[in-house]
Amino acid sequence: MERAIQEEQYISHTPVSLLRAGIDTEDTMRAKFEKVIRDAQDSICKAIEDVDGKKFHQDAWTRADGGGGISRVLQDGNVWEKAGVNVSVVYGSMPPEAYRAATGNTELLKNKGDIGRVPFFAAGISSVMHPRNPHCPTMHFNYRYFETEEWNGIPGQWWFGGGTDITPSYIDEEDLKHFHGVYKQVCDRHDPTYYEKFKKWCDEYFLIKHRGERRGLGGIFFDDLNDKEPETILKFSTDAVNHVAEAYCPIIRKHMNDSFTAEEKQWQQLRRGRYVEFNLVYDRGTTFGLKTGGRIESILMSMPLTASWLYDNRPAPGSREADLLDACRNPRNWV
């Protein structure tokens, strides 16, 4: 009974304070963004629980060097084999290599000499959801805000990043039109150039270079975004994270009771293997978390419970599996 109560104590009831005590006030961008991601964690977890019928388990954690987070995981559910939604707000200082991982620029600061550790603040919400049924797509989203302070003569910086993307094992064009359509509408409300630009960015970012194929069938992705006023980008990020459930849950409800074969389940396992490859080799968030001493259970929450690597697997020409692989190699426009 005590554990059940603990698991239902969502962020609004937790005693853990993620804001920097005595430093941040409610009018700072740090505090505003934290409120957005905490509210989003609550609403998205509620939407997923309504579909699955089981509750998320919650862990509150603190980081020795500053900050902490809330990890929620639904494992062995009725619909999802594993689903997680993490919120983290961390701060302190990081080595230059972690700063390079955060920016994606491997050459940054290399010619600056011994600059010491970089003071930073990073807040974000991240999620990966792996359904049981191979006709239900995996979905990922991440929205984050990052600041560095001025140090050793190097100016401070700030930027937003994020996106929502979908990874089906089988193509259902109506599903993809719905998912991409929701995010095109979100983008169009804020900047008519956003969808085309961020869809292309998503296709490029999630390329598994050693395979020559994308992890999935895209969505939107953006990073290092600071070309407008912070409040303007905050409104866009808020709109985007608040449409995760609308974009994803109708697709899951449509397919969660579909019948499937052992061969279709095996194909899902192979596609999950591609998911693992991308996250461990290329993902900037994973790299940053590992280089800044992040909580390993939260960083690796994105991993599926099960995955598979079959030697030299090649789908039959003209099959649905071959169609999916072609779309991963040659990105398509869905809306």
Side-chain angles (χ1 to χ4, degrees):
M1 180 65 177
E2 181 180 348
R3 180 169 180 174
I5 293 173
Q6 179 184 0
E7 289 177 357
E8 292 192 3
Q9 287 180 334
Y10 282 178
I11 257 179
S12 58
H13 305 295
T14 180
V16 177
S17 174
L18 303 184
L19 276 180
R20 300 188 294 180
I23 301 176
D24 291 335
T25 58
E26 291 184 359
D27 62 344
T28 65
M29 185 54 62
R30 296 182 294 267
K32 290 176 181 178
F33 191 78
E34 181 184 342
K35 184 178 187 309
V36 167
I37 60 179
R38 290 175 69 162
D39 289 347
Q41 187 183 40
D42 283 349
S43 62
I44 293 168
C45 285
K46 176 63 166 57
I48 296 303
E49 289 175 346
D50 287 347
V51 176
D52 191 276
K54 288 192 175 182
K55 297 286 187 180
F56 281 82
H57 169 77
Q58 174 175 296
D59 290 322
W61 53 274
T62 57
R63 179 175 173 270
D65 293 335
I70 302 289
S71 295
R72 295 185 190 161
V73 176
L74 192 162
Q75 190 163 287
D76 196 26
N78 295 312
V79 177
W80 281 274
E81 188 174 287
K82 185 181 180 186
V85 186
N86 288 340
V87 160
S88 64
V89 179
V90 297
Y91 49 86
S93 64
M94 60 183 172
E97 59 266 26
Y99 183 61
R100 287 190 284 269
T103 62
N105 185 342
T106 58
E107 299 301 314
L108 200 62
L109 308 181
K110 279 194 173 180
N111 298 320
K112 297 293 185 179
D114 183 11
I115 62 169
R117 295 175 66 87
V118 182
F120 80 98
F121 171 94
I125 181 170
S126 61
S127 172
V128 178
M129 302 189 182
H130 296 287
R132 293 183 178 278
N133 194 307
H135 298 294
C136 290
T138 288
M139 186 272 300
H140 158 263
F141 70 87
N142 178 292
Y143 292 89
R144 55 199 175 274
Y145 175 70
F146 199 96
E147 283 185 7
T148 62
E149 298 175 15
E150 181 179 356
W151 84 105
N152 287 341
I154 299 173
Q157 299 187 51
W158 63 267
W159 66 86
F160 291 82
T164 307
D165 60 279
I166 194 166
T167 304
S169 299
Y170 291 94
I171 291 177
D172 181 314
E173 291 202 6
E174 290 304 314
D175 294 346
L176 291 163
K177 287 178 181 177
H178 168 77
F179 183 86
H180 281 266
V182 168
Y183 275 98
K184 185 178 188 305
Q185 291 174 6
V186 169
C187 289
D188 288 351
R189 282 195 288 271
H190 299 270
D191 188 319
T193 70
Y194 270 1
Y195 177 74
E196 182 178 356
K197 179 165 57 177
F198 293 163
K199 194 267 185 189
K200 183 174 184 291
W201 201 341
C202 187
D203 290 334
E204 292 172 348
Y205 177 77
F206 289 107
L207 175 65
I208 307 171
K209 297 180 180 67
H210 59 272
R211 297 279 189 183
E213 63 191 63
R214 278 82 190 158
R215 187 179 75 176
L217 299 185
I220 62 168
F221 176 88
F222 60 95
D223 213 349
D224 307 322
L225 199 63
N226 59 5
D227 59 343
K228 298 181 179 181
E229 289 298 315
E231 289 285 350
T232 300
I233 304 176
L234 175 66
K235 289 178 181 177
F236 167 64
S237 297
T238 302
D239 200 8
V241 74
N242 286 344
H243 279 80
V244 166
E246 180 181 327
Y248 183 52
C249 288
I251 298 173
I252 297 300
R253 289 186 184 275
K254 176 181 173 183
H255 294 291
M256 65 187 194
N257 294 316
D258 286 1
S259 61
F260 58 87
T261 66
E263 290 76 19
E264 289 170 335
K265 186 66 178 177
Q266 179 62 68
W267 176 247
Q268 179 194 48
Q269 297 291 85
L270 288 169
R271 296 312 304 173
R272 285 181 177 177
R274 299 295 199 269
Y275 209 96
V276 171
E277 289 177 28
F278 178 85
N279 281 28
L280 293 182
V281 178
Y282 301 110
D283 186 68
R284 279 170 59 174
T286 301
T287 303
F288 173 76
L290 294 174
K291 288 183 180 296
T292 55
R295 183 175 184 260
I296 297 301
E297 288 299 320
S298 298
I299 296 169
L300 298 182
M301 175 209 70
S302 63
M303 297 296 105
L305 281 185
T306 56
S308 179
W309 286 263
L310 292 181
Y311 180 74
D312 198 24
N313 178 267
R314 300 185 186 190
S319 65
R320 294 187 68 197
E321 291 82 2
D323 188 37
L324 185 281
L325 189 56
D326 177 74
C328 290
R329 290 173 174 168
N330 305 289
R332 302 174 187 177
N333 293 320
W334 305 104
V335 292

